[in-house]
């Protein structure tokens, strides 16, 4: 019977691969491209830093980049002022 542990869930995830590990310059490129099509306000630097620190400590962060609950790159999600943590047991930020 398959385990429901986060590490097993990550290994069995068909959508996630090691290619989700991206360098900071790629995060910025993706964010810029996203904002061209979806303009919206950005969070300030202290808020982004706090959000990323919270995500880094979360047991549901996969590959150090991806939220298990929404599939988003947390480095992108944390920049968007109007977004919240998608954790199903309550937003952590």
């Amino acid at each position: 019977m398959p385990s429901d542990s986060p590490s097993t869930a990550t290994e069995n995830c068909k959508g996630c691969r090691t290619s989700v590990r991206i360098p900071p310059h790629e995060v910025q490129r993706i964010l810029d491209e996203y904002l061209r099509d979806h303009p919206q306000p950005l969070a300030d630097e202290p808020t982004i830093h706090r959000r990323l620190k919270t995500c880094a400590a979360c047991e549901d962060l996969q590959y150090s980049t991806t939220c298990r609950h929404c599939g988003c790159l947390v480095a992108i999600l944390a920049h968007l002022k109007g977004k919240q943590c998608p954790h199903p047991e309550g937003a952590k930020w």
Side-chain angles (χ1 to χ4, degrees), residues 46-87:
T47 299
I48 295 166
H49 178 73
R50 179 180 46 79
R51 289 175 171 184
L52 291 174
K53 186 175 179 180
T54 300
C55 290
C58 182
E59 65 280 358
D60 295 318
L61 182 65
Q62 298 177 324
Y63 300 114
S64 300
T65 60
T66 307
C67 176
R68 180 173 74 102
H69 299 291
C70 67
C72 294
L73 293 170
V74 297
I76 304 297
L77 192 64
H79 279 79
L80 305 175
K81 186 176 182 175
K83 298 295 184 178
Q84 288 189 67
C85 167
H87 199 284

